Amino acid sequence: MKGLLIKDIKLMGNMKNSLLLILLISIVMTTYIKDASFLIMYLGMIGTTFATSTLSYDEFDNGYSFLLSLPVTRKGYVMEKYGFGLLLSGSGWLLGTVLALAAGIVRGSREPLDIIMTSIVLLPAVFFLLAVMIPFRLKFGSEKGRVVVICAAGAAFLVFTVAAEIVKRTNLDLDSIWGKLTLQGAGVMAASLAIGTVILLISYRLSVSIMEKKEF
């Protein structure tokens, strides 16, 4: 697994210019976008996308056959992908949180505790994105998997749009609900982490099953 991690980290090294550009864009975004949740999710999504892009490199030119000829098991390969995915998506999530906190403090527009709570609540969403993309990429390949992920993202957008419309029509007081959640910070943190962990475990078991059935 250590060798696989080194391989993927070196692949990310080849993308350092893109990563620096995204960092610059994110810093500029803090000037114009006041919504902390957007910045946190954006960088979490970018981290997940870069992590899962390594699957495309592994698939290229019968790469799986070569990798599995080494002392690497299929289960170990999947485990490394999740570990690397958590490393990058978690780094993106953390960077987004730090930038949102810095922007909030400079503007004085939001309390740091509110931003931290928002970040923690969004963590399962970052995990969910990783949990969806890895098994889809393994099952359908890089090209078809990309299409499936886009369709899934479209479906998620539709669900959120419908949910927003329901909230609007029912006049739910989201600020009041959020205030109550903030007062119960420890419970929200524990629930968010538990949900994210369960999602990842289910996805991991699914990915191992997919990988073990693949023929190269």
Side-chain angles (χ1 to χ4, degrees), residues 52-110:
T52 54
S53 69
T54 59
L55 288 164
S56 300
Y57 286 98
D58 293 345
E59 182 185 14
F60 180 72
D61 201 18
N62 295 318
Y64 283 135
S65 299
F66 172 74
L67 286 173
L68 294 175
S69 69
L70 302 172
V72 175
T73 64
R74 298 185 182 218
K75 185 176 181 179
Y77 174 83
V78 172
M79 186 179 295
E80 186 273 336
K81 287 303 173 189
Y82 277 87
F84 186 67
L86 285 172
L87 177 64
L88 281 194
S89 60
S91 297
W93 169 81
L94 182 61
L95 177 60
T97 302
V98 171
L99 290 177
L101 279 170
I105 291 172
V106 170
R107 293 196 195 101
S109 56
R110 290 191 65 178

Side-chain angles (χ1 to χ4, degrees), residues 36 40 96-97 100-105 110-120 178:
I40 294 167
T97 302
L101 279 170
I105 291 172
R110 290 191 65 178
E111 291 292 329
L113 180 59
D114 287 344
I115 295 174
I116 292 172
M117 286 296 298
T118 299
S119 175
I120 293 170
W178 180 250

Side-chain angles (χ1 to χ4, degrees), residues 132-164:
V132 168
M133 291 185 71
I134 291 180
F136 271 135
R137 286 290 186 95
L138 288 173
K139 177 67 176 179
F140 299 103
S142 58
E143 295 301 324
K144 291 182 180 179
R146 190 178 296 114
V147 173
V148 173
V149 169
I150 291 173
C151 292
F157 176 78
L158 180 61
V159 169
F160 281 119
T161 302
V162 172

Side-chain angles (χ1 to χ4, degrees), residues 181-200:
L181 288 175
T182 302
L183 292 175
Q184 301 173 358
V188 173
M189 287 175 61
S192 297
L193 292 174
I195 291 170
T197 301
V198 170
I199 289 171
L200 282 173

